[in-house]
Coordinates of all heavy atoms in Angstrom, one line a residue:
M1 N 0.9 -1.2 0.0 CA 0.0 0.0 0.0 C 0.9 1.2 0.0 O 1.8 1.3 0.8 CB -0.9 0.0 1.2 CG -1.5 1.3 1.6 SD -2.6 1.2 3.1 CE -1.9 0.0 4.2
R2 N 0.6 2.2 -0.9 CA 1.3 3.4 -0.9 C 0.6 4.5 -0.2 O -0.6 4.8 -0.5 CB 1.5 3.8 -2.4 CG 2.3 5.1 -2.5 CD 2.9 5.2 -3.9 NE 3.9 6.3 -3.8 CZ 3.7 7.5 -4.2 NH1 2.5 7.8 -4.8 NH2 4.6 8.5 -4.1
I3 N 1.2 5.0 0.9 CA 0.5 6.0 1.7 C 0.8 7.4 1.0 O 2.0 7.7 0.7 CB 1.1 6.0 3.1 CG1 0.8 4.7 3.7 CG2 0.5 7.1 3.9 CD1 1.5 4.5 5.0
K4 N -0.3 8.1 0.7 CA -0.1 9.4 0.0 C -0.2 10.5 1.0 O -0.7 10.4 2.1 CB -1.3 9.5 -1.0 CG -1.2 8.4 -2.0 CD -2.3 8.4 -3.0 CE -2.2 7.3 -4.0 NZ -3.2 7.2 -4.9
S5 N 0.3 11.7 0.5 CA 0.2 12.9 1.4 C -1.2 13.4 1.4 O -2.0 13.2 0.5 CB 1.2 14.0 0.9 OG 0.8 14.3 -0.4
V6 N -1.6 14.0 2.5 CA -3.0 14.6 2.6 C -3.1 15.8 1.8 O -2.3 16.7 1.9 CB -3.3 14.8 4.1 CG1 -4.7 15.4 4.3 CG2 -3.2 13.6 4.9
L7 N -4.1 15.9 1.0 CA -4.4 17.0 0.1 C -5.2 18.1 0.9 O -6.0 17.8 1.7 CB -5.2 16.6 -1.1 CG -4.5 15.6 -2.0 CD1 -5.5 15.3 -3.2 CD2 -3.2 16.2 -2.6
R8 N -4.8 19.3 0.7 CA -5.5 20.5 1.3 C -5.4 21.7 0.4 O -4.6 21.7 -0.5 CB -4.9 20.7 2.7 CG -3.4 21.1 2.6 CD -2.8 21.0 4.0 NE -1.4 21.0 3.9 CZ -0.5 20.0 3.6 NH1 -1.0 18.9 3.2 NH2 0.8 20.1 3.6
D9 N -6.1 22.7 0.7 CA -6.0 23.9 0.0 C -6.3 25.1 0.9 O -6.6 24.9 2.1 CB -6.9 24.0 -1.2 CG -8.4 23.8 -0.9 OD1 -8.8 24.3 0.1 OD2 -9.1 23.2 -1.7
K10 N -6.1 26.3 0.4 CA -6.2 27.5 1.3 C -7.7 27.7 1.8 O -7.9 28.1 2.9 CB -5.7 28.8 0.6 CG -6.5 29.2 -0.6 CD -6.0 30.4 -1.2 CE -6.8 30.7 -2.4 NZ -7.1 32.1 -2.6
D11 N -8.6 27.2 1.0 CA -10.0 27.3 1.5 C -10.3 26.5 2.7 O -10.9 26.9 3.6 CB -11.0 27.0 0.3 CG -11.0 27.9 -0.8 OD1 -10.7 29.1 -0.6 OD2 -11.3 27.5 -2.0
I12 N -9.7 25.3 2.6 CA -9.9 24.3 3.8 C -9.2 24.9 5.0 O -9.7 24.9 6.1 CB -9.3 22.9 3.4 CG1 -10.3 22.2 2.4 CG2 -9.2 22.1 4.7 CD1 -9.7 20.9 1.9
L13 N -8.0 25.4 4.8 CA -7.2 25.9 5.9 C -7.8 27.2 6.5 O -7.5 27.5 7.7 CB -5.7 26.1 5.5 CG -5.0 24.8 5.1 CD1 -3.6 25.2 4.6 CD2 -5.0 23.8 6.2
N14 N -8.6 27.9 5.8 CA -9.3 29.1 6.3 C -10.6 28.8 7.0 O -11.1 29.7 7.7 CB -9.5 30.1 5.2 CG -8.3 30.8 4.7 OD1 -7.3 31.0 5.5 ND2 -8.2 31.1 3.4
M15 N -11.0 27.6 7.0 CA -12.3 27.2 7.7 C -12.0 27.0 9.2 O -10.8 26.8 9.6 CB -12.8 25.9 7.1 CG -13.3 26.0 5.7 SD -13.8 24.3 5.1 CE -14.2 24.7 3.4
E16 N -13.0 27.1 10.0 CA -12.8 26.9 11.4 C -12.3 25.5 11.7 O -12.8 24.5 11.2 CB -14.2 27.0 12.1 CG -14.1 26.9 13.6 CD -15.5 27.0 14.3 OE1 -16.5 27.4 13.6 OE2 -15.6 26.6 15.5
E17 N -11.2 25.4 12.6 CA -10.6 24.2 12.9 C -11.6 23.2 13.6 O -12.3 23.6 14.5 CB -9.4 24.4 13.8 CG -8.3 25.1 13.1 CD -7.0 25.1 13.9 OE1 -7.1 24.8 15.1 OE2 -6.0 25.6 13.4
G18 N -11.6 22.0 13.1 CA -12.5 21.0 13.7 C -14.0 21.1 13.4 O -14.8 20.3 13.8
S19 N -14.3 22.1 12.6 CA -15.7 22.2 12.2 C -16.2 21.1 11.2 O -15.3 20.5 10.5 CB -16.0 23.6 11.5 OG -15.3 23.6 10.3
E20 N -17.5 20.8 11.2 CA -18.0 19.8 10.3 C -17.7 20.2 8.9 O -17.3 19.3 8.0 CB -19.5 19.6 10.5 CG -20.0 18.4 9.6 CD -21.4 18.0 9.9 OE1 -22.0 18.5 10.9 OE2 -21.9 17.2 9.1
E21 N -17.8 21.5 8.6 CA -17.5 21.9 7.2 C -16.1 21.6 6.8 O -15.8 21.1 5.7 CB -17.7 23.5 7.1 CG -17.5 24.1 5.8 CD -17.6 25.6 5.8 OE1 -17.3 26.2 6.8 OE2 -18.0 26.1 4.7
R22 N -15.1 21.9 7.7 CA -13.7 21.6 7.4 C -13.4 20.1 7.3 O -12.7 19.6 6.5 CB -12.8 22.3 8.4 CG -11.3 22.1 8.2 CD -10.5 23.1 9.0 NE -9.1 22.9 8.8 CZ -8.2 23.7 9.3 NH1 -8.5 24.8 9.9 NH2 -6.9 23.4 9.1
I23 N -14.0 19.3 8.2 CA -13.9 17.9 8.2 C -14.3 17.3 6.8 O -13.7 16.6 6.2 CB -14.6 17.2 9.4 CG1 -14.0 17.6 10.7 CG2 -14.8 15.7 9.2 CD1 -14.8 17.2 11.9
M24 N -15.5 17.7 6.4 CA -16.1 17.2 5.2 C -15.3 17.7 3.9 O -15.1 16.9 3.0 CB -17.6 17.6 5.1 CG -18.4 17.0 6.2 SD -18.2 15.2 6.5 CE -18.8 14.5 5.0
A25 N -14.9 18.9 3.9 CA -14.1 19.4 2.8 C -12.8 18.7 2.7 O -12.3 18.3 1.6 CB -13.8 20.9 3.0
T26 N -12.1 18.4 3.8 CA -10.9 17.7 3.8 C -11.1 16.2 3.4 O -10.4 15.7 2.6 CB -10.2 17.7 5.2 OG1 -10.1 19.0 5.7 CG2 -8.9 17.0 5.2
L27 N -12.2 15.7 3.9 CA -12.5 14.3 3.5 C -12.8 14.2 2.0 O -12.2 13.3 1.3 CB -13.8 13.9 4.3 CG -14.3 12.5 4.0 CD1 -13.5 11.5 4.7 CD2 -15.7 12.4 4.3
D28 N -13.6 15.1 1.4 CA -13.9 15.0 0.0 C -12.6 15.2 -0.8 O -12.5 14.5 -1.9 CB -14.9 16.1 -0.4 CG -16.3 15.8 0.1 OD1 -16.6 14.6 0.4 OD2 -17.1 16.8 0.2
K29 N -11.7 16.0 -0.4 CA -10.4 16.2 -1.1 C -9.5 14.9 -1.1 O -8.7 14.7 -1.9 CB -9.7 17.4 -0.6 CG -8.6 17.9 -1.5 CD -8.6 19.4 -1.4 CE -7.6 19.9 -2.4 NZ -8.2 20.5 -3.5
N30 N -9.7 14.1 -0.1 CA -8.9 12.9 0.1 C -9.6 11.6 0.0 O -9.0 10.5 0.4 CB -8.2 13.0 1.5 CG -7.2 14.1 1.5 OD1 -6.1 13.9 1.1 ND2 -7.6 15.3 2.1
L31 N -10.7 11.5 -0.7 CA -11.4 10.3 -0.9 C -10.6 9.4 -1.8 O -9.8 9.8 -2.6 CB -12.8 10.5 -1.6 CG -13.9 11.0 -0.8 CD1 -15.1 11.3 -1.6 CD2 -14.3 10.1 0.3
D32 N -10.7 8.1 -1.5 CA -10.0 7.0 -2.3 C -8.5 7.2 -2.3 O -7.8 6.9 -3.2 CB -10.5 7.0 -3.7 CG -12.0 6.7 -3.8 OD1 -12.5 5.8 -3.1 OD2 -12.7 7.4 -4.5
R33 N -8.0 7.6 -1.1 CA -6.5 7.8 -0.9 C -6.1 7.2 0.4 O -6.8 7.5 1.4 CB -6.1 9.3 -1.0 CG -6.4 10.0 -2.3 CD -6.3 11.5 -2.1 NE -5.0 11.9 -1.6 CZ -3.8 12.0 -2.3 NH1 -3.9 11.7 -3.6 NH2 -2.7 12.4 -1.7
A34 N -5.2 6.4 0.5 CA -4.6 5.9 1.7 C -3.7 7.0 2.3 O -2.7 7.3 1.7 CB -3.9 4.6 1.5
V35 N -4.1 7.6 3.4 CA -3.3 8.7 4.0 C -3.1 8.4 5.5 O -3.8 7.6 6.1 CB -4.1 10.0 3.9 CG1 -4.3 10.4 2.4 CG2 -5.4 10.0 4.6
N36 N -2.1 9.1 6.0 CA -1.7 9.0 7.4 C -2.9 9.6 8.2 O -3.3 10.8 8.0 CB -0.4 9.7 7.7 CG 0.0 9.7 9.1 OD1 -0.6 10.4 9.9 ND2 1.0 8.9 9.4
L37 N -3.4 8.9 9.2 CA -4.5 9.4 10.0 C -4.2 10.6 10.7 O -5.0 11.6 10.8 CB -5.0 8.3 10.9 CG -6.1 8.6 11.9 CD1 -7.4 9.1 11.1 CD2 -6.5 7.5 12.8
N38 N -3.0 10.7 11.4 CA -2.7 11.9 12.2 C -2.5 13.1 11.2 O -2.9 14.2 11.6 CB -1.4 11.7 13.0 CG -1.7 10.8 14.2 OD1 -2.8 10.8 14.7 ND2 -0.7 10.0 14.5
S39 N -2.0 12.9 10.0 CA -1.9 14.1 9.1 C -3.2 14.5 8.7 O -3.5 15.7 8.5 CB -1.1 13.6 7.9 OG 0.3 13.3 8.3
L40 N -4.2 13.6 8.4 CA -5.5 14.0 8.0 C -6.2 14.8 9.1 O -6.8 15.8 8.9 CB -6.3 12.7 7.7 CG -7.7 12.9 7.2 CD1 -7.7 13.5 5.8 CD2 -8.5 11.6 7.2
L41 N -6.0 14.3 10.4 CA -6.6 15.0 11.5 C -6.1 16.4 11.6 O -6.8 17.4 11.9 CB -6.4 14.2 12.8 CG -7.2 12.9 12.9 CD1 -6.7 12.1 14.1 CD2 -8.7 13.2 13.1
R42 N -4.8 16.6 11.4 CA -4.2 17.9 11.5 C -4.7 18.9 10.5 O -5.0 20.0 10.8 CB -2.6 17.8 11.4 CG -1.9 17.5 12.7 CD -0.4 17.8 12.6 NE 0.2 17.1 11.5 CZ 0.7 15.9 11.6 NH1 0.6 15.2 12.7 NH2 1.3 15.3 10.5
V43 N -4.9 18.4 9.3 CA -5.5 19.3 8.2 C -6.9 19.6 8.6 O -7.4 20.7 8.3 CB -5.4 18.6 6.8 CG1 -6.2 19.4 5.8 CG2 -3.9 18.4 6.4
M44 N -7.6 18.7 9.2 CA -9.0 19.0 9.7 C -9.1 19.9 10.9 O -10.1 20.3 11.3 CB -9.7 17.6 10.0 CG -10.0 16.8 8.8 SD -10.7 15.2 9.3 CE -11.1 14.5 7.7
G45 N -7.9 20.2 11.5 CA -7.9 21.1 12.6 C -8.1 20.3 13.9 O -8.6 20.9 14.9
M46 N -7.8 19.0 13.9 CA -8.1 18.2 15.1 C -6.7 17.6 15.6 O -5.8 17.5 14.9 CB -9.0 17.1 14.7 CG -10.3 17.6 14.2 SD -11.4 16.2 13.4 CE -12.0 15.5 14.9
E47 N -6.7 17.2 16.9 CA -5.6 16.6 17.5 C -5.7 15.0 17.3 O -6.8 14.5 17.1 CB -5.5 16.9 19.0 CG -5.4 18.4 19.3 CD -4.1 19.0 18.8 OE1 -3.0 18.2 18.8 OE2 -4.1 20.1 18.4
S48 N -4.6 14.3 17.5 CA -4.6 12.9 17.3 C -5.6 12.2 18.3 O -6.1 11.1 18.0 CB -3.2 12.3 17.4 OG -2.7 12.5 18.6
D49 N -5.8 12.8 19.5 CA -6.7 12.2 20.4 C -8.1 12.4 20.1 O -9.0 11.9 20.8 CB -6.3 12.6 21.9 CG -6.5 14.1 22.1 OD1 -6.8 14.8 21.1 OD2 -6.4 14.5 23.3
Q50 N -8.4 13.1 19.0 CA -9.8 13.4 18.6 C -10.2 12.5 17.4 O -11.2 12.7 16.8 CB -9.9 14.8 18.1 CG -9.8 15.8 19.3 CD -9.9 17.2 18.8 OE1 -9.0 17.7 18.1 NE2 -11.0 17.9 19.1
R51 N -9.4 11.4 17.2 CA -9.8 10.5 16.0 C -11.1 9.9 16.2 O -11.8 9.6 15.2 CB -8.7 9.5 15.8 CG -8.4 8.6 16.9 CD -7.2 7.7 16.6 NE -6.8 7.0 17.8 CZ -5.8 7.3 18.6 NH1 -5.1 8.4 18.3 NH2 -5.5 6.6 19.7
L52 N -11.5 9.6 17.4 CA -12.9 9.0 17.6 C -14.0 10.1 17.2 O -15.0 9.7 16.7 CB -13.1 8.6 19.0 CG -12.3 7.3 19.4 CD1 -12.5 7.0 20.9 CD2 -12.7 6.1 18.5
D53 N -13.7 11.3 17.4 CA -14.6 12.4 17.0 C -14.8 12.4 15.5 O -15.9 12.6 15.0 CB -14.2 13.8 17.5 CG -14.1 13.9 19.0 OD1 -14.9 13.2 19.7 OD2 -13.4 14.8 19.5
L54 N -13.7 12.1 14.8 CA -13.8 12.0 13.3 C -14.7 10.9 12.9 O -15.6 11.0 12.1 CB -12.4 11.9 12.7 CG -12.4 11.4 11.2 CD1 -13.0 12.5 10.3 CD2 -11.0 11.1 10.8
L55 N -14.5 9.7 13.5 CA -15.2 8.5 13.2 C -16.7 8.7 13.6 O -17.6 8.3 12.8 CB -14.7 7.3 13.9 CG -13.3 6.9 13.4 CD1 -12.7 5.7 14.2 CD2 -13.2 6.6 11.9
R56 N -17.0 9.4 14.7 CA -18.4 9.6 15.1 C -19.0 10.6 14.1 O -20.2 10.5 13.8 CB -18.4 10.2 16.5 CG -18.2 9.2 17.6 CD -18.4 9.8 18.9 NE -17.9 8.9 20.0 CZ -16.8 9.1 20.7 NH1 -16.1 10.2 20.5 NH2 -16.4 8.2 21.5
A57 N -18.3 11.6 13.6 CA -18.8 12.5 12.6 C -19.2 11.9 11.3 O -20.1 12.3 10.6 CB -17.8 13.7 12.4
L58 N -18.6 10.7 11.0 CA -18.8 10.1 9.7 C -19.8 8.9 9.9 O -20.1 8.3 8.8 CB -17.5 9.6 9.2 CG -16.5 10.7 8.9 CD1 -15.2 10.1 8.4 CD2 -17.0 11.7 7.9
I59 N -20.2 8.6 11.1 CA -21.0 7.3 11.3 C -22.3 7.3 10.5 O -22.7 6.2 10.0 CB -21.3 7.1 12.8 CG1 -21.6 5.6 13.0 CG2 -22.3 8.0 13.3 CD1 -21.4 5.1 14.4
K60 N -22.9 8.4 10.2 CA -24.2 8.4 9.5 C -24.0 9.0 8.1 O -25.0 9.2 7.4 CB -25.2 9.3 10.2 CG -25.6 8.6 11.6 CD -26.7 9.3 12.3 CE -27.0 8.6 13.6 NZ -28.1 9.1 14.3
K61 N -22.8 9.1 7.6 CA -22.5 9.6 6.3 C -22.3 8.4 5.4 O -22.0 7.3 5.8 CB -21.2 10.4 6.3 CG -21.3 11.6 7.2 CD -22.1 12.7 6.8 CE -22.0 13.9 7.7 NZ -22.9 14.9 7.6
P62 N -22.5 8.5 4.1 CA -22.4 7.4 3.1 C -21.0 7.1 2.7 O -20.7 7.0 1.5 CB -23.2 7.9 1.9 CG -23.0 9.4 1.9 CD -22.9 9.8 3.4
Y63 N -20.1 6.9 3.7 CA -18.7 6.5 3.4 C -18.4 5.2 4.0 O -18.9 4.7 5.0 CB -17.8 7.6 4.0 CG -18.0 9.0 3.5 CD1 -18.6 9.9 4.2 CD2 -17.5 9.3 2.2 CE1 -18.7 11.2 3.7 CE2 -17.7 10.5 1.7 CZ -18.3 11.5 2.5 OH -18.5 12.8 2.0
H64 N -17.4 4.5 3.3 CA -16.8 3.3 3.8 C -15.4 3.7 4.3 O -14.7 4.4 3.6 CB -16.8 2.2 2.8 CG -18.2 1.8 2.3 ND1 -19.0 1.0 3.0 CD2 -18.9 2.2 1.2 CE1 -20.1 0.8 2.3 NE2 -20.1 1.6 1.3
I65 N -15.1 3.2 5.5 CA -13.8 3.6 6.1 C -13.0 2.4 6.5 O -13.5 1.4 7.1 CB -14.1 4.4 7.4 CG1 -14.9 5.6 7.1 CG2 -12.8 4.8 8.1 CD1 -15.5 6.3 8.3
W66 N -11.8 2.3 6.0 CA -10.8 1.3 6.4 C -9.7 1.8 7.3 O -9.2 2.9 7.0 CB -10.2 0.6 5.2 CG -11.2 -0.2 4.4 CD1 -11.4 -1.6 4.5 CD2 -12.1 0.2 3.4 NE1 -12.4 -2.0 3.6 CE2 -12.8 -0.9 2.9 CE3 -12.4 1.5 2.8 CZ2 -13.8 -0.8 1.9 CZ3 -13.4 1.6 1.9 CH2 -14.0 0.5 1.4
L67 N -9.4 1.2 8.3 CA -8.3 1.5 9.2 C -7.2 0.5 9.1 O -7.5 -0.7 9.1 CB -8.8 1.7 10.6 CG -9.9 2.7 10.9 CD1 -10.4 2.6 12.3 CD2 -9.5 4.1 10.5
A68 N -6.0 0.9 9.0 CA -4.9 0.0 8.9 C -3.6 0.5 9.6 O -3.6 1.7 10.0 CB -4.6 -0.3 7.4
N69 N -2.6 -0.3 9.7 CA -1.3 0.1 10.2 C -0.3 -0.4 9.3 O -0.2 -1.5 9.0 CB -1.2 -0.4 11.6 CG 0.1 0.1 12.3 OD1 1.2 -0.3 12.0 ND2 -0.2 1.1 13.1
Q70 N 0.5 0.6 8.8 CA 1.6 0.3 7.9 C 2.9 0.7 8.5 O 3.1 1.9 8.7 CB 1.4 1.0 6.5 CG 2.6 0.9 5.6 CD 2.4 -0.1 4.6 OE1 1.3 -0.6 4.3 NE2 3.4 -0.5 3.9
G71 N 3.7 -0.2 8.9 CA 4.9 0.1 9.6 C 4.5 0.7 11.0 O 3.9 0.1 11.8
N72 N 4.9 2.0 11.2 CA 4.5 2.7 12.4 C 3.5 3.8 12.2 O 3.3 4.7 13.0 CB 5.8 3.2 13.1 CG 6.5 4.3 12.3 OD1 6.1 4.5 11.1 ND2 7.4 5.0 12.9
Q73 N 2.8 3.7 11.0 CA 1.8 4.7 10.7 C 0.4 4.1 10.8 O 0.1 3.1 10.2 CB 2.0 5.2 9.3 CG 3.3 6.0 9.1 CD 3.3 6.6 7.7 OE1 2.5 7.4 7.4 NE2 4.3 6.1 6.9
D74 N -0.5 4.9 11.4 CA -1.9 4.6 11.3 C -2.5 5.2 10.0 O -2.3 6.4 9.7 CB -2.7 5.2 12.5 CG -2.3 4.6 13.8 OD1 -2.1 3.3 13.8 OD2 -2.2 5.3 14.8
V75 N -3.1 4.3 9.2 CA -3.6 4.7 7.9 C -5.1 4.7 7.8 O -5.7 3.8 8.4 CB -2.9 3.8 6.8 CG1 -3.4 4.1 5.4 CG2 -1.4 3.8 6.9
I76 N -5.7 5.6 7.1 CA -7.1 5.6 6.9 C -7.4 5.7 5.4 O -6.7 6.4 4.7 CB -7.8 6.7 7.7 CG1 -9.3 6.6 7.7 CG2 -7.3 8.1 7.3 CD1 -10.0 7.5 8.7
Y77 N -8.4 5.0 5.0 CA -8.8 5.0 3.6 C -10.3 5.2 3.6 O -11.1 4.4 4.2 CB -8.4 3.7 2.9 CG -8.8 3.6 1.4 CD1 -7.8 4.0 0.5 CD2 -10.0 3.2 1.0 CE1 -8.1 3.9 -0.9 CE2 -10.3 3.2 -0.4 CZ -9.4 3.5 -1.3 OH -9.6 3.5 -2.6
I78 N -10.8 6.3 3.0 CA -12.3 6.6 3.0 C -12.8 6.6 1.6 O -12.1 7.2 0.7 CB -12.5 7.9 3.7 CG1 -12.0 7.8 5.2 CG2 -14.0 8.2 3.7 CD1 -12.0 9.1 5.9
S79 N -13.9 6.0 1.3 CA -14.4 5.9 -0.1 C -16.0 5.8 0.0 O -16.6 5.5 1.0 CB -13.9 4.7 -0.7 OG -14.3 4.5 -2.0
H80 N -16.5 6.1 -1.2 CA -18.0 5.9 -1.3 C -18.3 4.5 -1.7 O -19.4 4.0 -1.6 CB -18.6 6.8 -2.4 CG -18.7 8.2 -2.0 ND1 -19.6 8.6 -1.0 CD2 -18.2 9.4 -2.4 CE1 -19.6 9.9 -0.8 NE2 -18.7 10.4 -1.7
V81 N -17.3 3.8 -2.2 CA -17.5 2.4 -2.6 C -17.2 1.4 -1.5 O -16.4 1.7 -0.6 CB -16.7 2.0 -3.9 CG1 -17.2 2.9 -5.1 CG2 -15.2 2.2 -3.7
D82 N -17.7 0.2 -1.5 CA -17.5 -0.7 -0.4 C -16.3 -1.6 -0.6 O -16.1 -2.5 0.2 CB -18.8 -1.5 -0.1 CG -19.2 -2.4 -1.3 OD1 -18.5 -2.4 -2.3 OD2 -20.2 -3.1 -1.2
Q83 N -15.6 -1.4 -1.6 CA -14.3 -2.1 -1.8 C -13.2 -1.2 -2.3 O -13.4 -0.4 -3.2 CB -14.5 -3.2 -2.9 CG -13.3 -4.1 -3.1 CD -13.0 -4.9 -1.9 OE1 -13.9 -5.4 -1.2 NE2 -11.8 -5.1 -1.6
P84 N -12.1 -1.1 -1.6 CA -11.1 -0.1 -1.9 C -10.5 -0.4 -3.3 O -10.4 -1.5 -3.7 CB -10.0 -0.3 -0.8 CG -10.4 -1.4 0.0 CD -11.8 -1.9 -0.4
E85 N -10.2 0.7 -4.0 CA -9.6 0.6 -5.3 C -8.2 0.1 -5.1 O -7.6 -0.5 -6.0 CB -9.6 2.0 -6.0 CG -11.0 2.5 -6.4 CD -11.0 3.8 -7.0 OE1 -9.9 4.3 -7.4 OE2 -12.1 4.4 -7.1
D86 N -7.6 0.5 -4.0 CA -6.2 0.1 -3.7 C -6.3 -1.3 -3.1 O -6.6 -1.5 -2.0 CB -5.6 1.0 -2.7 CG -4.1 0.8 -2.5 OD1 -3.6 -0.4 -2.8 OD2 -3.4 1.6 -2.0
E87 N -6.0 -2.3 -4.0 CA -6.0 -3.7 -3.6 C -5.1 -4.1 -2.4 O -5.2 -5.1 -1.8 CB -5.8 -4.6 -4.7 CG -6.8 -4.5 -5.8 CD -8.2 -5.0 -5.4 OE1 -8.3 -6.0 -4.6 OE2 -9.2 -4.5 -5.9
E88 N -4.1 -3.2 -2.2 CA -3.1 -3.5 -1.2 C -3.5 -3.1 0.2 O -2.8 -3.3 1.2 CB -1.8 -2.8 -1.5 CG -1.2 -3.2 -2.8 CD 0.1 -2.5 -3.1 OE1 0.7 -1.8 -2.2 OE2 0.5 -2.5 -4.3
I89 N -4.7 -2.5 0.4 CA -5.2 -2.1 1.7 C -5.4 -3.3 2.6 O -6.3 -4.1 2.2 CB -6.5 -1.3 1.6 CG1 -6.2 0.0 0.8 CG2 -7.0 -1.0 3.0 CD1 -6.3 1.3 1.5
V90 N -4.6 -3.5 3.6 CA -4.8 -4.6 4.5 C -5.1 -3.9 5.9 O -4.2 -3.3 6.5 CB -3.5 -5.4 4.6 CG1 -3.7 -6.5 5.6 CG2 -3.1 -6.0 3.2
G91 N -6.3 -4.0 6.2 CA -6.8 -3.4 7.5 C -8.2 -4.0 7.7 O -8.6 -5.0 7.2
F92 N -8.9 -3.2 8.5 CA -10.3 -3.7 8.7 C -11.3 -2.6 8.3 O -11.0 -1.4 8.4 CB -10.5 -4.2 10.1 CG -10.6 -3.1 11.2 CD1 -11.8 -2.5 11.5 CD2 -9.4 -2.7 11.8 CE1 -11.9 -1.6 12.5 CE2 -9.5 -1.7 12.7 CZ -10.7 -1.1 13.1
M93 N -12.4 -3.0 7.8 CA -13.4 -2.0 7.4 C -14.2 -1.6 8.7 O -14.9 -2.4 9.3 CB -14.4 -2.6 6.4 CG -15.4 -1.7 5.8 SD -16.3 -2.5 4.5 CE -17.7 -1.5 4.4
W94 N -14.0 -0.4 9.1 CA -14.7 0.1 10.3 C -16.1 0.4 10.0 O -17.0 0.2 10.7 CB -14.0 1.4 10.8 CG -14.6 2.0 12.0 CD1 -14.6 1.5 13.3 CD2 -15.6 3.1 12.1 NE1 -15.4 2.2 14.1 CE2 -16.0 3.2 13.4 CE3 -16.0 3.9 11.1 CZ2 -16.8 4.2 13.8 CZ3 -16.9 4.9 11.5 CH2 -17.3 5.1 12.8
Q95 N -16.4 1.0 8.8 CA -17.7 1.3 8.4 C -17.9 1.1 6.9 O -17.0 1.5 6.1 CB -18.1 2.8 8.8 CG -19.4 3.3 8.3 CD -19.7 4.7 8.8 OE1 -19.6 4.9 9.9 NE2 -20.0 5.6 7.9

């Protein structure tokens, strides 16, 4: 699995940190990408200990979420489809 850098833009970074708007904008920009979970949280304006808040925010959304560990990195893959495009994702489907 190739872990990619988290995509962001100035519009996202200008949004209120940790807001649902910023979470969803960051999420949409990083769909179908295996990214470092802590990096994703930072772009969303959240701390690493808020990862459960991220998962709770997505529980009723139409996304499928896979969590994995690659080396010493926690990896997250979020998609609208129920099977990751990246066949190398070895983790578990949280949602």
Side-chain angles (χ1 to χ4, degrees):
M1 159 178 37
R2 182 159 191 256
I3 301 170
K4 300 179 180 177
S5 60
V6 178
L7 298 176
R8 61 198 166 279
D9 59 34
K10 64 180 179 141
D11 293 332
I12 289 173
L13 297 176
N14 286 330
M15 294 175 186
E16 180 184 345
E17 291 187 353
S19 68
E20 184 172 349
E21 179 184 34
R22 184 164 172 170
I23 290 170
M24 297 312 294
T26 306
L27 178 80
D28 288 340
K29 194 144 187 102
N30 288 281
L31 282 176
D32 300 314
R33 298 168 53 82
V35 297
N36 179 286
L37 177 58
N38 287 328
S39 296
L40 184 70
L41 289 169
R42 275 195 304 273
V43 171
M44 291 176 170
M46 302 170 79
E47 300 294 326
S48 61
D49 63 351
Q50 293 177 292
R51 61 184 170 263
L52 289 177
D53 296 336
L54 166 63
L55 296 176
R56 284 186 193 107
L58 299 178
I59 200 162
K60 294 186 180 182
K61 305 285 186 194
Y63 298 107
H64 298 280
I65 302 167
W66 288 265
L67 302 173
N69 188 281
Q70 171 99 16
N72 63 349
Q73 294 187 63
D74 292 323
V75 178
I76 189 167
Y77 183 93
I78 302 171
S79 180
H80 283 296
V81 297
D82 62 359
Q83 184 64 36
E85 292 176 15
D86 187 342
E87 295 293 328
E88 296 179 19
I89 299 247
V90 178
F92 72 93
M93 186 173 160
W94 179 78
Q95 175 176 307

